[in-house]
Amino acid sequence: MADIVFKRKIYGQMLEWKRVNQGSSALMIEGARRIGKSTVVEEFARNEYDSFILIDFNNASPATYALFDDLTNLDMLFLELQTTYKTVLKKRKSAIIFDEVQKCPKARQAIKYLVKDGRYDYIETGSLISIKKNTESITIPSEEDRLEMYPMDYEEFMWAIGDEVTTTLLRQYWDAKRELGAVHRKVIRDLRLYMLVGGMPQAVKAYIEHNNFQMVDEVKRKILRLYQDDFRKIDASGKVGRMFMSIPEQLTRNVSRYVPYAVIGQNKPRDDDRMVELLQALDESKTVNFVYQCNDPNVGMSLTRNDNSYKLFLADTGLFVTLAFWDKKFTDNIIYNKLLNDKLEANMGYVYENLVSQMLIAAGNKLFYHTWKRDEKHNYEIDFIISHGSKISPIEVKSSGYNRHVSLDNFCTRYHKRIEKRYLLYTKDLRQDGETLLVPMYMIPFL
């Protein structure tokens, strides 16, 4: 199964780019490392073009790098590439892929002239913030469309394990607002499986091949160590890496925001500019999801976003689970099986919150939350707020079947004219509780 290629939704977006642009722009696929960018791009080129050249700038020769120093003779550049990669390119029927293009900034800059030449299509991939760091001295081409790629979402995961039916049927239940009944138990267990394995293709592949959570966990630990190495390359102080690794611990503190100074030990005003740089590096790595406090929950929540109050979640919940047990050399099958069967005696609410953030973002939402005072010592909090047209929909998350929603009720009383729908996400079956719809988490993509 070494050559397994998973079905990814971004493939359809790439098809639309090719159909609409017809060579008038290049396509940049952005995202964290190990989410499957290179695989889907190569599969796309193989299926949709007569021929293609893939230049992997992680291991390209110095001579290949040097080709982009001088663009005065594109005929010679294309001849050299065809000779080096032993591939014949056909006008308007071939593609050239710049994989890990951040390693060769001059190739990124050359896109302007290559697109203008018009002979071939160009697809780029890039990982982590080194895209930005390595392009500070070049002109970023305007002839470039961008698609952001994420870890495999819940539906893609189900496809990978051989189930292409369930999510389609769930949509029908959702549209009819019907309970699943006896089927619910299996579907929620499948969702927990997705939560534990996650959406990193290598981890999914390990699960399919071995059906062994410990081996899946080992794959995820390798990815996390790779991220740590990447963070050290862009921040030698190690602070970005520590901020990333501390996310589960920060969430278990059950506070209304992430406190970076508590992690890296800085607390003076003169450190603020440096903190902005560190947070920007973490954000641009695409390994995390930021959820910002919205001071005035209304349409256009970005306008009242509080940049100093935010929560951090991992972009992949499978990695989050492994990071939560990072103190162990490995997370063994016993823990995974207890998690899968909802039998672990630990507060796993923060894991479900991470899962909700990942699934909401995969469905195309920008995420915000809101807090306000209940009394002198306590706050109300709405976990997530999403917008629908001219209205907003508040979301409260419960990690069990517990269905009280005091914060949600209070919020909807305060802002009743702004509310479209009100949701409580939990692990039981779909049902209505007054004006609140209680939604099993596997139906998040339909909100």
Side-chain angles (χ1 to χ4, degrees), residues 105-298:
K106 289 186 177 179
R108 178 91 181 276
Q109 184 171 255
I111 286 295
K112 176 181 179 66
Y113 307 99
L114 297 174
V115 168
K116 184 179 179 179
D117 173 76
R119 271 178 265 188
Y120 314 115
D121 281 359
Y122 299 90
I123 306 174
E124 309 160 87
T125 75
S127 303
L128 288 174
I129 69 159
S130 47
I131 288 179
K132 179 178 180 180
K133 186 175 181 180
N134 288 305
T135 55
E136 291 175 348
S137 61
I138 71 167
T139 301
I140 301 298
S142 58
E143 299 79 6
E144 186 180 78
D145 293 327
R146 300 185 188 185
L147 290 176
E148 190 163 334
M149 190 172 177
Y150 303 100
M152 297 168 70
D153 69 16
Y154 175 53
E155 185 172 20
E156 290 171 330
F157 175 79
M158 295 301 289
W159 291 342
I161 64 173
D163 184 344
E164 299 206 8
V165 175
T166 293
T167 50
T168 301
L169 296 177
L170 287 177
R171 165 64 79 175
Q172 296 177 32
Y173 277 94
W174 170 259
D175 290 342
K177 297 298 183 287
R178 289 186 56 188
E179 298 181 11
L180 266 68
V183 183
H184 164 81
R185 185 173 180 179
K186 177 190 179 301
V187 179
I188 199 67
R189 191 176 188 275
D190 287 341
L191 182 73
R192 284 197 294 267
L193 177 62
Y194 169 61
M195 178 178 77
L196 300 177
V197 175
M200 307 303 283
Q202 287 177 307
V204 176
K205 179 174 179 286
Y207 171 74
I208 294 170
E209 290 182 338
H210 303 290
N211 194 29
N212 184 306
F213 283 125
Q214 187 170 321
M215 298 189 73
V216 173
D217 189 75
E218 289 173 1
V219 169
K220 292 189 291 178
R221 286 175 185 266
K222 288 179 181 177
I223 294 172
L224 288 168
R225 292 188 189 100
L226 178 68
Y227 286 175
Q228 286 181 303
D229 291 341
D230 285 336
F231 287 134
R232 277 191 287 268
K233 291 175 184 177
I234 60 177
D235 170 43
S237 72
K239 292 174 182 176
V240 173
R242 291 205 300 275
M243 290 163 65
F244 174 82
M245 300 296 286
S246 74
I247 290 175
E249 182 270 332
Q250 286 270 306
L251 288 172
T252 58
R253 292 171 62 243
N254 198 29
V255 294
S256 60
R257 65 188 181 95
Y258 184 92
V259 185
Y261 292 120
V263 176
I264 63 176
Q266 292 176 274
N267 55 19
K268 298 179 180 179
R270 64 181 174 83
D271 295 327
D272 286 349
D273 289 344
R274 176 58 175 157
M275 180 58 68
V276 170
E277 292 178 6
L278 296 176
L279 290 171
Q280 187 174 7
L282 199 54
D283 187 20
E284 291 174 347
S285 75
K286 309 300 183 184
T287 61
V288 302
N289 294 327
F290 276 77
V291 181
Y292 285 94
Q293 157 86 349
C294 175
N295 292 334
D296 182 20
N298 205 343

Side-chain angles (χ1 to χ4, degrees), residues 6 134 163-164 180 201 209 211 225 313 316 334 343 386 406 430 434 440 443 446:
F6 295 119
N134 288 305
D163 184 344
E164 299 206 8
L180 266 68
E209 290 182 338
N211 194 29
R225 292 188 189 100
F313 299 95
D316 180 71
I334 293 175
K343 300 295 185 183
I386 58 178
V406 177
L430 182 75
M443 287 184 169
F446 313 133

